[in-house]
Amino acid sequence: AQTVTQSQPEMSVQEAETVTLSCTYDTSESNYYLFWYKQPPSRQMILVIRQEAYKQQNATENRFSVNFQKAAKSFSLKISDSQLGDTAMYFCAFMNGVFGNEKLTFGTGTRLTIIP
Amino acid sequence: KAGVTQTPRYLIKTRGQQVTLSCSPISGHRSVSWYQQTPGQGLQFLFEYFSETQRNKGNFPGRFSGRQFSNSRSEMNVSTLELGDSALYLCASSFVGGLGQSYGYTFGSGTRLTVV
């Protein structure tokens, strides 16, 4: 079974600064996907970024980028030029890449607060 | 393009009753998953449907069931409600590519179920 660990329950950072959220996972699979989801107080879970395990290049989406270290089973999220709208719970998630086994395993989340 | 629609948004039920929650996925998405979110247990996978077939099931009692219709809409049912079933129930849909590749799940806003 896969496990996802987020060791930072809460973080806060000043607006416009850069923040990195940590995530580690454990799996014996070689084909999988990793995701970061954001859940603001509105409770809608929003996909922030997606990484395919077979791709060595780190995924980037505007101000959001990941540092994917496959050997270390680490998948951290970096938010650059943080904005007030980035305040939310952030969940790291793992999904097996085998067709027919598309279930997400989530970490416990990191509550990020952007301070004006 | 319309997102994932869940109805109702809020629900209050009495212990022992049953409840049905509805989810309409994004057009073209054939995979629909359900998750339970509670402060104590976090996000837990309930089940996943693809083309009207349940492909995966989480570790929940048989009181939790679901189904998917030919138009990919899905319902989940909880019978004999217990106080511990109070939670946010999230539905998510995904497009699965021809080679089985996944592009990540898009979530609905959830149904907040309170059992009294």
Side-chain angles (χ1 to χ4, degrees), chain B residues 36-55:
Chain B
Q36 181 197 64
Q37 185 176 24
T38 60
Q41 299 297 317
L43 283 149
Q44 293 187 288
F45 171 77
L46 279 156
F47 25 66
E48 185 252 347
Y49 288 87
F50 182 82
S51 293
E52 301 179 66
T53 301
Q54 184 183 90
R55 296 194 301 183

Side-chain angles (χ1 to χ4, degrees), chain A residues 88-101:
Chain A
M89 280 289 289
Y90 286 81
F91 293 95
C92 178
F94 172 100
M95 186 173 78
N96 194 313
V98 174
F99 181 63
N101 198 14

Side-chain angles (χ1 to χ4, degrees), chain A residues 43, chain B residues 3-11 19-25 32-34 47 65-69 71-78 89-92 107-113:
Chain A
R43 80 192 194 196
Chain B
V4 178
T5 303
Q6 289 188 248
T7 56
R9 288 213 71 191
Y10 300 92
L11 207 49
V19 67
T20 299
L21 312 182
S22 180
C23 173
S24 293
V32 175
S33 293
W34 290 87
F47 25 66
S65 63
R67 60 177 174 169
Q68 186 180 34
F69 302 95
N71 61 358
S72 294
R73 192 177 70 84
S74 178
E75 290 181 345
M76 70 162 279
N77 184 276
V78 188
Y89 289 89
L90 293 165
C91 170
F107 282 79
S109 296
T111 293
R112 172 79 64 189
L113 172 65

Side-chain angles (χ1 to χ4, degrees), chain A residues 25-75:
Chain A
Y25 59 96
D26 189 25
T27 184
S28 58
E29 302 291 336
S30 58
N31 179 22
Y32 54 87
Y33 300 88
L34 294 164
F35 305 91
W36 278 98
Y37 280 91
K38 164 186 175 181
Q39 188 178 39
S42 67
R43 80 192 194 196
Q44 172 104 42
M45 194 80 78
I46 300 164
L47 177 62
V48 175
I49 201 162
R50 164 183 175 267
Q51 176 80 42
E52 292 161 274
Y54 68 86
K55 287 189 176 179
Q56 292 186 337
Q57 187 172 6
N58 290 324
T60 300
E61 288 287 342
N62 300 314
R63 299 182 295 108
F64 299 88
S65 61
V66 297
N67 183 2
F68 174 46
Q69 301 289 325
K70 190 171 184 178
K73 294 180 181 171
S74 170
F75 183 61

